[in-house]
Amino acid sequence: MAETLFRIASFNLENLDDDTADPPFEARIATLRPQLERLAADILCLQEVDAQHPVKSEPRVLRALGRLLEGTRYADFHVTAGDGATPADRHNPVVVSRWPIRAARLLRHDLVRPPQIRFATADPAQDAPAEVEWDRPVLHAEVTLPDGRALHVFDLHLRSPLAAPVPGQKAGAFTWKTAGGWAEGFYLASVKRAGQALETRLAVDRLFDADPDALVVVAGDCNAELEQTPVRILRADPDFTGNEELAARALIPLEQQLPEERRFSVLHGGTPVMLDHLLVSRRLAGWFREAEIHNETLRDEVLQATDTPTPESHHAPLVASFALPG
């Protein structure tokens, strides 16, 4: 029996919404559709998909995404934003799959309780500790492959490094009153990002507890490079744990198969950085064939920033191909 080739992609679409006039949604479609078609993916892990109210009083739906996928290879694919009653208004993780999605759930403080932090710089000072909650959930979708096996897809968008609010320390949206207040906000952002990664890692470990050969992919915008804390938490490489008996639980970053000069998904102030990742379990890595990062036309998010939003995303999509054994 012949192998079945398939492709898994990740793409941060950056605020996909058809309720805004700037830029016109038609311009976004004209820009993003060719990128999605080029990926030729069987499973798409998308981030920053906004939801819309078809009628004000009705639940939100993924209307903008539906319009984007119309007329593409993905038009009839299965779509999930998780098990919530309705998608969030902004920044949903969404999985789009050629094959059926047998289960989907959103993880947000299901496995890791919000840490409690007593602010050092809050003004006025606060007597009680505050809970630090994640900004977004992680989407865990279970896809049924053609041979009946389950592929566990984790689609995540970790907190950005921008400093999180501290009571009484902001003078404006991007202006801080004190250096110490900004520093504490930056620390809080790091806690949120690492916490999301930890919750994902624990969910992956539960899968390995049940099945050491589980097929797992963790995909998305980690807002961190390969050797930074959140991605190291996700990877759990034996070099980090110091225990070779845990090697089978490590997640392998597929970007390492590419030449170093091609290994970037964002341009930031003239510096290429790899903030988006595809991490896979050992069993799935055995089926891996090749990886691509479509970063040829990336706009620098700092040096080429404009006063108005642009149709393209500042993130490059990445895709990996696999061969399902016959």
Side-chain angles (χ1 to χ4, degrees):
M1 188 175 176
E3 295 178 326
T4 300
L5 298 177
F6 66 98
R7 288 161 68 87
I8 302 174
S10 178
F11 192 9
N12 182 335
L13 298 174
E14 281 200 313
N15 298 308
L16 184 73
D17 192 358
D18 63 359
D19 271 343
T20 58
D22 202 5
F25 192 64
E26 290 71 18
R28 297 225 68 192
I29 286 177
T31 301
L32 295 174
R33 267 188 192 164
Q35 291 183 281
L36 292 174
E37 290 284 18
R38 180 186 175 192
L39 290 170
D42 298 283
I43 298 172
L44 278 173
C45 298
L46 304 174
Q47 300 91 46
E48 292 200 29
V49 179
D50 294 351
Q52 298 75 35
H53 287 285
V55 177
K56 229 175 188 182
S57 59
E58 293 184 5
R60 288 182 293 267
V61 298
L62 301 175
R63 183 184 65 209
L65 179 62
R67 291 179 62 188
L68 176 62
L69 300 183
E70 282 175 8
T72 71
R73 68 177 66 237
Y74 311 104
D76 296 322
F77 278 26
H78 305 271
V79 177
T80 184
D83 56 352
T86 180
D89 58 342
R90 299 185 71 244
H91 290 190
N92 291 281
V94 176
V95 170
V96 181
S97 171
R98 175 184 300 278
W99 300 303
I101 299 169
R102 65 173 72 166
R105 63 179 300 207
L106 294 171
L107 297 170
R108 188 179 189 183
H109 299 300
D110 294 84
L111 303 179
V112 179
R113 296 184 62 182
Q116 293 195 335
I117 292 178
R118 192 182 298 274
F119 286 108
T121 64
D123 184 17
Q126 298 185 351
D127 295 330
E131 288 193 339
V132 179
E133 297 184 347
W134 319 152
D135 296 323
R136 290 176 288 268
V138 172
L139 172 59
H140 174 199
E142 191 174 332
V143 175
T144 303
L145 294 174
D147 66 354
R149 279 187 272 198
L151 172 64
H152 295 275
V153 180
F154 290 86
D155 185 6
L156 70 167
H157 182 191
L158 303 188
R159 163 81 195 198
S160 79
L162 289 175
V166 174
Q169 282 291 346
K170 296 290 290 287
F174 301 102
T175 306
W176 290 80
K177 294 179 179 179
T178 67
W182 167 83
E184 185 166 29
F186 194 76
Y187 159 70
L188 290 175
S190 300
V191 170
K192 288 170 177 271
R193 190 163 56 256
Q196 286 177 278
L198 173 60
E199 186 152 34
T200 305
R201 179 70 242 182
L202 295 181
V204 169
D205 275 349
R206 286 192 172 190
L207 294 176
F208 288 140
D209 288 342
D211 178 8
D213 289 326
L215 300 170
V216 179
V217 58
V218 175
D221 177 3
C222 295
N223 270 307
E225 296 195 85
L226 194 62
E227 295 300 331
Q228 291 179 317
T229 297
V231 182
R232 288 169 70 95
I233 290 172
L234 292 168
R235 291 168 59 193
D237 191 276
D239 286 345
F240 310 151
T241 64
N243 187 348
E244 286 296 331
E245 292 184 5
L246 298 176
R249 291 175 175 248
L251 296 177
I252 299 169
L254 299 181
E255 69 219 46
Q256 291 184 307
Q257 303 301 313
L258 292 165
E260 189 171 353
E261 65 272 14
R262 296 286 302 152
R263 214 180 294 165
F264 64 95
S265 63
V266 171
L267 290 174
H268 184 83
T271 302
V273 289
M274 191 72 196
L275 302 184
D276 304 82
H277 303 276
L278 284 171
L279 313 172
V280 299
S281 60
R282 294 258 172 138
R283 177 51 63 94
L284 185 56
W287 301 355
F288 172 65
R289 294 297 176 264
E290 63 179 359
E292 306 163 17
I293 305 174
H294 298 170
N295 51 19
E296 302 89 345
T297 60
L298 267 183
R299 177 191 293 262
D300 193 299
E301 64 179 355
V302 175
L303 297 182
Q304 295 174 287
T306 63
D307 291 334
T308 57
T310 55
E312 67 269 20
S313 171
H314 288 104
H315 289 255
L318 50 154
V319 62
S321 60
F322 304 83
L324 177 66

